[in-house]
């Protein structure tokens, strides 16, 4: 079954929607330059509204390990997603502070990027077209070079998710801008996206 992650949640109504839709992961963006940024207090309040079986992922860009570990260990988030220049030494250091899973995001432009993702020590890797949330896809042909489970991100929406889930069969799909209207999560678009993924799983 293809797991589903809806990233960039900022409002209680977003949490209500994902609870109903039975997704696997949600994302809180802690990168201050993002228009989907939430602070620690807002994330904590939203997490209390989230079903306990849905995992909350914190998205960070070159954040101090101590900050991430605090959020993980206080259970504001269940996993950390690293979207900056964090290297293997960074991941190793973070693991000395928390035993929670780590997702490392990779910008995929060439086969070399796939090799780097394949060799990452992170628990999971996420393949994206850019810094995240930009609604841009990358050349999916490059993915055939990876032999580990991965989160697929970058420009996913209702127009291409059937091909992505059906042909590529990623471990998980990660959507943000593709289920938004005027910069906010749209419950109808989220529902259509989730339904399309589930229908591919049934084939």
């Amino acid at each position: 079954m293809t797991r589903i992650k809806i990233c960039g949640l900022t409002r209680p109504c977003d949490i209500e929607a994902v609870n109903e839709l039975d997704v696997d992961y949600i994302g809180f963006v802690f990168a201050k330059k993002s228009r989907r940024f939430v602070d620690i207090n807002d994330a904590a309040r939203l997490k209390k509204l989230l079903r306990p079986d849905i995992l909350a992922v914190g998205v960070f860009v070159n954040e101090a390990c101590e900050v991430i570990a605090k959020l993980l260990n206080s259970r504001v988030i269940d996993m950390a997603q690293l979207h900056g220049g964090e290297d293997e030494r960074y991941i190793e250091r973070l693991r000395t502070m928390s035993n929670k899973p780590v997702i490392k995001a990779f910008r995929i432009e060439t086969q070399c990027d796939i090799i780097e993702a394949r060799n990452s020590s992170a628990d999971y890797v996420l393949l994206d077209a850019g810094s995240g949330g930009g609604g841009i896809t990358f050349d999916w042909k490059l993915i055939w070079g990876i032999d580990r489970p991965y989160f697929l991100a970058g420009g996913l929406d209702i127009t291409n998710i059937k091909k992505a889930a059906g042909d590529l069969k990623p471990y998980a799909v990660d959507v943000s801008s593709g289920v938004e209207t005027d910069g906010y999560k749209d419950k109808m678009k989220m529902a259509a996206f989730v339904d399309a993924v589930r229908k591919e799983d049934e084939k």
Side-chain angles (χ1 to χ4, degrees):
M1 184 181 75
T2 307
R3 279 74 169 180
I4 299 173
K5 175 171 173 272
I6 298 182
C7 199
L9 304 189
T10 60
R11 304 172 299 171
C13 61
D14 299 336
I15 301 296
E16 181 181 344
V18 296
N19 284 342
E20 290 181 16
L21 294 172
D22 198 27
V23 302
D24 303 281
Y25 305 91
I26 61 95
F28 294 137
V29 178
F30 292 99
K32 292 183 179 179
K33 292 183 179 180
S34 172
R35 61 181 173 84
R36 304 177 184 90
F37 168 76
V38 292
D39 64 24
I40 293 173
N41 293 329
D42 287 339
R45 284 192 289 267
L46 292 171
K47 177 64 184 303
K48 289 180 180 179
L49 303 175
L50 185 68
R51 276 175 35 189
D53 58 323
I54 299 175
L55 299 179
V57 180
V59 180
F60 303 91
V61 178
N62 301 322
E63 183 59 85
C65 287
E66 292 81 0
V67 173
I68 300 176
K70 182 179 179 180
L71 287 165
L72 288 167
N73 295 333
S74 63
R75 299 184 179 179
V76 173
I77 56 174
D78 303 298
M79 303 172 69
Q81 180 174 313
L82 310 177
H83 242 289
E86 303 90 353
D87 58 14
E88 288 294 307
R89 289 180 62 187
Y90 182 103
I91 295 173
E92 182 179 350
R93 184 163 182 265
L94 180 58
R95 282 198 169 123
T96 67
M97 302 178 184
S98 175
N99 62 358
K100 299 295 181 66
V102 174
I103 304 170
K104 178 67 181 101
F106 291 88
R107 181 174 181 171
I108 304 301
E109 296 179 326
T110 70
Q111 195 63 44
C112 292
D113 300 318
I114 290 292
I115 293 172
E116 185 179 1
R118 184 179 63 197
N119 294 333
S120 173
S121 67
D123 299 278
Y124 302 93
V125 295
L126 181 144
L127 310 183
D128 203 347
S131 58
I136 302 170
T137 59
F138 62 91
D139 184 0
W140 291 346
K141 293 178 183 177
L142 295 169
I143 292 179
W144 301 114
I146 194 166
D147 55 1
R148 65 179 290 179
Y150 60 89
F151 283 70
L152 178 66
L156 297 179
D157 58 29
I158 192 62
T159 68
N160 59 20
I161 189 56
K162 291 181 181 181
K163 182 174 179 60
D167 293 355
L168 301 175
K169 301 189 184 309
Y171 167 79
V173 291
D174 188 336
V175 65
S176 186
S177 61
V179 290
E180 291 179 348
T181 298
D182 298 328
Y184 292 97
K185 293 295 180 287
D186 183 316
K187 184 177 179 180
M188 291 183 65
K189 288 184 178 179
M190 287 192 282
F193 185 91
V194 170
D195 184 62
V197 175
R198 298 302 182 222
K199 285 181 177 177
E200 284 302 312
D201 286 340
E202 292 171 0
K203 291 182 178 179

